[in-house]
Amino acid sequence: RSSAKLVAPLGCLVSRQKHTLPDLPYDYAALEPHINAEIMQLHHSKHHATYVNNLNVAEEKYKEALAKGDVTTQVSLQPALKFNGGGHINHTIFWTNLSPNGGGEPKGELMEAIKRDFGSFANFKEKLTAVSVGVQGSGWGWLGYNKEQGRLQIAACANQDPLQGTTGLIPLLGIDVWEHAYYLQYKNVRPDYLKAIWNVINWENVSSRYATCKK
Protein backbone atom coordinates (compact mmCIF):
# COMPACT_ATOMS: atom_id res chain seq x y z
CA ARG A 1 0.00 0.00 0.00
CA SER A 2 1.50 3.30 -1.11
CA SER A 3 0.61 5.15 2.10
CA ALA A 4 2.97 3.02 4.15
CA LYS A 5 5.95 3.55 1.87
CA LEU A 6 8.38 6.40 1.53
CA VAL A 7 7.74 8.87 -1.26
CA ALA A 8 8.63 7.25 -4.58
CA PRO A 9 11.75 8.50 -6.36
CA LEU A 10 10.76 11.36 -8.61
CA GLY A 11 11.80 9.45 -11.71
CA CYS A 12 9.02 6.93 -11.02
CA LEU A 13 6.22 9.48 -10.87
CA VAL A 14 4.81 8.68 -14.28
CA SER A 15 3.63 5.19 -13.30
CA ARG A 16 2.91 5.66 -9.58
CA GLN A 17 -0.43 5.50 -7.82
CA LYS A 18 -1.68 8.44 -5.80
CA HIS A 19 -0.78 8.56 -2.14
CA THR A 20 -3.64 7.84 0.28
CA LEU A 21 -4.32 8.60 3.92
CA PRO A 22 -3.51 5.47 5.96
CA ASP A 23 -6.09 4.15 8.39
CA LEU A 24 -5.22 4.44 12.07
CA PRO A 25 -4.62 1.08 13.79
CA TYR A 26 -6.85 2.25 16.68
CA ASP A 27 -9.86 4.51 17.34
CA TYR A 28 -9.46 8.27 17.72
CA ALA A 29 -10.30 7.99 21.44
CA ALA A 30 -7.95 5.06 22.06
CA LEU A 31 -5.04 7.17 23.34
CA GLU A 32 -7.07 9.04 25.96
CA PRO A 33 -6.44 10.49 28.50
CA HIS A 34 -2.94 11.15 27.15
CA ILE A 35 -4.03 12.43 23.71
CA ASN A 36 -7.71 13.19 23.36
CA ALA A 37 -10.02 12.10 20.57
CA GLU A 38 -10.60 15.59 19.18
CA ILE A 39 -6.87 16.10 18.64
CA MET A 40 -6.45 12.70 17.03
CA GLN A 41 -9.40 13.19 14.68
CA LEU A 42 -8.27 16.63 13.52
CA HIS A 43 -4.62 15.60 13.33
CA HIS A 44 -5.32 12.52 11.21
CA SER A 45 -8.39 13.36 9.12
CA LYS A 46 -7.53 17.04 8.50
CA HIS A 47 -3.80 17.74 8.90
CA HIS A 48 -2.37 14.48 7.58
CA ALA A 49 -5.00 14.36 4.85
CA THR A 50 -3.94 17.84 3.71
CA TYR A 51 -0.32 16.73 3.36
CA VAL A 52 -1.43 13.74 1.29
CA ASN A 53 -3.64 15.84 -0.99
CA ASN A 54 -1.03 18.54 -1.49
CA LEU A 55 1.66 15.95 -2.14
CA ASN A 56 -0.44 14.41 -4.90
CA VAL A 57 -1.01 17.85 -6.45
CA ALA A 58 2.70 18.70 -6.29
CA GLU A 59 3.71 15.36 -7.81
CA GLU A 60 1.19 15.79 -10.64
CA LYS A 61 2.64 19.21 -11.42
CA TYR A 62 6.14 17.76 -11.23
CA LYS A 63 5.21 14.99 -13.66
CA GLU A 64 3.92 17.59 -16.13
CA ALA A 65 7.07 19.69 -15.75
CA LEU A 66 9.21 16.58 -16.21
CA ALA A 67 7.40 15.69 -19.43
CA LYS A 68 7.91 19.23 -20.75
CA GLY A 69 11.55 19.39 -19.69
CA ASP A 70 10.65 22.45 -17.61
CA VAL A 71 13.51 22.47 -15.12
CA THR A 72 12.53 25.83 -13.58
CA THR A 73 9.13 24.48 -12.51
CA GLN A 74 10.74 21.24 -11.30
CA VAL A 75 13.02 23.25 -9.04
CA SER A 76 10.21 25.52 -7.84
CA LEU A 77 8.18 22.47 -6.74
CA GLN A 78 10.91 21.08 -4.48
CA PRO A 79 9.76 22.92 -1.31
CA ALA A 80 6.18 21.63 -1.74
CA LEU A 81 7.42 18.09 -2.34
CA LYS A 82 9.69 18.26 0.72
CA PHE A 83 7.05 19.77 3.02
CA ASN A 84 4.07 17.66 2.01
CA GLY A 85 6.08 14.53 1.30
CA GLY A 86 7.75 14.91 4.67
CA GLY A 87 4.41 15.49 6.37
CA HIS A 88 3.05 12.28 4.86
CA ILE A 89 6.14 10.22 5.73
CA ASN A 90 6.39 11.59 9.27
CA HIS A 91 2.75 11.08 10.19
CA THR A 92 2.61 7.61 8.66
CA ILE A 93 5.42 6.65 11.05
CA PHE A 94 3.95 8.61 13.98
CA TRP A 95 0.59 6.80 14.04
CA THR A 96 2.31 3.41 14.27
CA ASN A 97 4.71 4.68 16.95
CA LEU A 98 1.68 5.16 19.23
CA SER A 99 -0.57 2.56 20.83
CA PRO A 100 -3.26 2.42 23.54
CA ASN A 101 -1.24 -0.53 24.88
CA GLY A 102 2.02 1.44 24.79
CA GLY A 103 4.19 3.02 27.43
CA GLY A 104 6.68 1.47 29.77
CA GLU A 105 10.10 0.57 28.42
CA PRO A 106 11.36 -1.35 25.38
CA LYS A 107 12.82 -4.82 25.66
CA GLY A 108 15.44 -6.94 23.95
CA GLU A 109 17.91 -5.59 21.40
CA LEU A 110 16.44 -2.08 21.34
CA MET A 111 16.79 -1.70 25.10
CA GLU A 112 20.37 -2.97 24.95
CA ALA A 113 21.16 -0.48 22.18
CA ILE A 114 19.60 2.38 24.18
CA LYS A 115 21.72 1.48 27.22
CA ARG A 116 24.83 1.22 25.03
CA ASP A 117 24.33 4.54 23.26
CA PHE A 118 22.71 6.66 25.99
CA GLY A 119 23.79 5.00 29.24
CA SER A 120 20.28 4.17 30.41
CA PHE A 121 16.66 4.36 29.33
CA ALA A 122 16.14 7.28 31.73
CA ASN A 123 18.98 9.22 30.08
CA PHE A 124 17.59 8.49 26.62
CA LYS A 125 14.08 9.58 27.61
CA GLU A 126 15.41 12.78 29.16
CA LYS A 127 17.50 13.63 26.08
CA LEU A 128 14.76 12.98 23.52
CA THR A 129 12.29 14.95 25.65
CA ALA A 130 14.71 17.89 25.92
CA VAL A 131 15.41 17.90 22.17
CA SER A 132 11.67 17.75 21.38
CA VAL A 133 10.76 20.50 23.86
CA GLY A 134 13.57 22.63 22.45
CA VAL A 135 12.38 22.59 18.84
CA GLN A 136 11.80 26.23 17.90
CA GLY A 137 8.43 26.76 16.28
CA SER A 138 7.20 23.57 14.61
CA GLY A 139 9.00 20.30 14.03
CA TRP A 140 9.81 16.82 15.29
CA GLY A 141 12.02 15.06 17.80
CA TRP A 142 13.43 11.75 16.56
CA LEU A 143 15.20 8.61 17.60
CA GLY A 144 17.02 7.40 14.50
CA TYR A 145 19.50 4.73 13.52
CA ASN A 146 22.86 5.73 12.06
CA LYS A 147 23.57 2.81 9.74
CA GLU A 148 27.15 3.86 8.97
CA GLN A 149 28.11 4.07 12.64
CA GLY A 150 25.79 1.28 13.79
CA ARG A 151 24.31 3.30 16.63
CA LEU A 152 21.19 5.11 17.78
CA GLN A 153 21.04 8.87 17.50
CA ILE A 154 18.66 11.63 18.62
CA ALA A 155 17.86 14.47 16.25
CA ALA A 156 15.41 17.31 15.73
CA CYS A 157 13.92 18.28 12.37
CA ALA A 158 12.25 21.58 11.57
CA ASN A 159 8.76 21.79 10.09
CA GLN A 160 8.00 18.56 8.18
CA ASP A 161 11.56 17.81 7.12
CA PRO A 162 11.77 14.00 6.90
CA LEU A 163 14.51 12.52 9.08
CA GLN A 164 16.08 10.13 6.59
CA GLY A 165 15.81 12.49 3.64
CA THR A 166 17.52 15.36 5.48
CA THR A 167 19.92 13.66 7.94
CA GLY A 168 20.42 10.13 6.60
CA LEU A 169 19.22 8.64 9.90
CA ILE A 170 16.64 5.86 9.62
CA PRO A 171 13.53 6.88 11.64
CA LEU A 172 12.56 4.64 14.55
CA LEU A 173 10.50 6.93 16.81
CA GLY A 174 9.10 10.36 15.99
CA ILE A 175 7.47 12.85 18.33
CA ASP A 176 5.37 15.50 16.61
CA VAL A 177 5.75 18.85 18.36
CA TRP A 178 3.69 20.94 15.98
CA GLU A 179 1.06 22.71 18.08
CA HIS A 180 -1.73 20.92 16.20
CA ALA A 181 -0.51 17.71 17.88
CA TYR A 182 -1.28 18.94 21.39
CA TYR A 183 -2.65 22.50 21.67
CA LEU A 184 -6.35 21.63 22.13
CA GLN A 185 -5.46 19.61 25.23
CA TYR A 186 -2.19 21.03 26.57
CA LYS A 187 -2.42 24.61 25.26
CA ASN A 188 1.11 26.03 24.87
CA VAL A 189 2.66 23.80 27.55
CA ARG A 190 4.65 21.48 25.31
CA PRO A 191 6.52 19.81 28.23
CA ASP A 192 3.22 18.45 29.61
CA TYR A 193 2.43 16.91 26.23
CA LEU A 194 5.90 15.38 26.07
CA LYS A 195 5.47 13.92 29.54
CA ALA A 196 2.13 12.35 28.54
CA ILE A 197 3.15 10.91 25.19
CA TRP A 198 5.59 8.44 26.76
CA ASN A 199 2.53 6.61 28.12
CA VAL A 200 1.42 5.65 24.61
CA ILE A 201 4.73 4.92 22.84
CA ASN A 202 4.46 1.64 20.95
CA TRP A 203 7.80 0.02 21.77
CA GLU A 204 6.93 -3.09 19.77
CA ASN A 205 6.72 -0.93 16.64
CA VAL A 206 9.94 0.93 17.45
CA SER A 207 11.72 -2.37 18.14
CA SER A 208 10.44 -3.81 14.87
CA ARG A 209 11.77 -0.80 12.97
CA TYR A 210 15.13 -1.18 14.71
CA ALA A 211 15.35 -4.88 13.80
CA THR A 212 14.45 -4.15 10.18
CA CYS A 213 17.00 -1.38 9.65
CA LYS A 214 19.81 -3.51 11.11
CA LYS A 215 19.36 -6.22 8.46
Side-chain angles (χ1 to χ4, degrees):
R1 182 173 174 176
S2 64
S3 63
K5 298 177 182 177
L6 299 183
V7 178
L10 295 178
C12 301
L13 291 180
V14 174
S15 61
R16 71 161 188 85
Q17 293 181 328
K18 286 188 178 295
H19 300 284
T20 57
L21 181 69
D23 294 331
L24 290 187
Y26 40 75
D27 293 335
Y28 288 134
L31 303 182
E32 291 188 340
H34 311 292
I35 305 176
N36 70 34
E38 185 181 14
I39 287 175
M40 291 299 296
Q41 183 172 7
L42 287 170
H43 199 172
H44 176 256
S45 69
K46 300 297 183 183
H47 291 283
H48 189 174
T50 298
Y51 297 127
V52 171
N53 293 337
N54 289 341
L55 175 60
N56 285 325
V57 170
E59 286 192 344
E60 192 64 33
K61 290 179 179 178
Y62 191 93
K63 183 175 72 173
E64 294 171 1
L66 205 60
K68 294 176 183 177
D70 183 354
V71 178
T72 298
T73 297
Q74 291 172 44
V75 171
S76 72
L77 286 166
Q78 294 302 314
L81 289 167
K82 180 181 180 183
F83 182 75
N84 294 294
H88 181 37
I89 291 169
N90 294 341
H91 286 88
T92 299
I93 295 168
F94 183 60
W95 306 132
T96 65
N97 277 169
L98 304 177
S99 169
N101 302 312
E105 300 182 359
K107 300 174 183 177
E109 285 191 358
L110 177 61
M111 186 58 149
E112 293 307 310
I114 286 173
K115 288 178 179 178
R116 180 195 68 211
D117 296 331
F118 302 104
S120 68
F121 179 75
N123 283 346
F124 154 72
K125 184 176 176 180
E126 183 180 341
K127 286 181 179 180
L128 182 52
T129 297
V131 164
S132 302
V133 168
V135 171
Q136 294 184 332
S138 301
W140 292 73
W142 288 98
L143 172 66
Y145 181 66
N146 187 320
K147 206 167 181 70
E148 287 186 6
Q149 298 179 13
R151 68 184 183 90
L152 301 175
Q153 201 169 318
I154 288 172
C157 289
N159 300 311
Q160 293 295 355
D161 290 3
L163 183 71
Q164 190 166 5
T166 55
T167 71
L169 298 174
I170 299 171
L172 304 179
L173 169 62
I175 299 179
D176 189 349
V177 290
W178 280 65
E179 283 195 341
H180 65 231
Y182 62 88
Y183 195 87
L184 289 175
Q185 186 171 1
Y186 295 98
K187 302 301 185 251
N188 63 334
V189 190
R190 187 185 287 176
D192 285 355
Y193 160 68
L194 265 296
K195 184 178 179 181
I197 202 169
W198 290 103
N199 294 303
V200 289
I201 297 298
N202 183 355
W203 290 115
E204 287 187 10
N205 179 264
V206 182
S207 294
S208 175
R209 291 178 182 278
Y210 178 60
T212 299
C213 72
K214 282 185 66 186
K215 292 178 182 177

